[in-house]
Amino acid sequence: MPIPVPIVITVTATPDPNDPGKLNISTDKPDTIFLSYIDDDQVRWVCNDGDVEVRFGPASNPFDAGAYAGGTYQTQPGGSVISGSLEPDLLNPDPETFNTYKYSIVVTSTDKTRVGTRDPRFKTRRNTVYRGRNTDNK
């Protein structure tokens, strides 16, 4: 089985000119990303602008079936973190039906004086999502 090529989400954090303690967070992908179990879609978050935490609430992490685990993925500036595979027990039995998972991307500036958050979503299902996609998932 080939190693899956993750969908890369590049996170950018820029200082908010109106609030000295805030970062404005953006990504190079839409706020809703579709993931397929059958294609072993995984995600890799990358940020050069600060420490990144990707946070899922309890029982809302599509990559971890632990009812109380939630999940936090962390990396330092310039690093990256990979989600792993979707958890099949959390998918809808209907292969065409999507489940939606909200999560938060939290970035703290390297000097620890600013923080910012963005709340995107994943939509997951068993069947293929990106028909005819290329290998770099762009």
Side-chain angles (χ1 to χ4, degrees):
M1 175 184 255
I3 296 173
V5 176
I7 297 169
V8 177
I9 300 174
T10 302
V11 179
T12 303
T14 55
D16 185 326
N18 301 316
D19 185 340
K22 184 178 176 191
L23 292 171
N24 293 321
I25 307 302
S26 62
T27 67
D28 67 338
K29 299 286 188 274
D31 273 347
T32 300
I33 294 179
F34 296 85
L35 303 174
S36 163
Y37 174 73
I38 198 167
D39 292 331
D40 198 13
D41 286 337
Q42 299 181 26
V43 177
R44 180 167 67 107
W45 294 274
V46 179
C47 181
N48 292 319
D49 301 323
D51 297 335
V52 174
E53 287 186 21
V54 176
R55 299 177 183 167
F56 291 90
S60 68
N61 182 349
F63 310 105
D64 183 354
Y68 304 102
T72 299
Y73 302 81
Q74 297 178 305
T75 186
Q76 295 178 339
S80 68
V81 62
I82 296 177
S83 65
S85 300
L86 292 171
E87 176 56 52
D89 293 343
L90 299 175
L91 297 168
N92 193 299
D94 175 358
E96 296 297 323
T97 300
F98 287 97
N99 291 354
T100 301
Y101 295 91
K102 180 182 163 246
Y103 68 101
S104 295
I105 299 171
V106 181
V107 180
T108 304
S109 62
T110 54
D111 64 3
K112 310 292 188 235
T113 61
R114 294 175 182 250
V115 68
T117 303
R118 187 169 193 95
D119 296 322
R121 290 171 171 64
F122 291 124
K123 287 189 168 276
T124 65
R125 73 176 185 184
R126 293 182 185 276
N127 273 357
T128 295
V129 175
Y130 300 105
R131 305 214 188 277
R133 71 177 183 187
N134 59 23
T135 56
D136 66 1
N137 292 310
K138 289 185 180 178

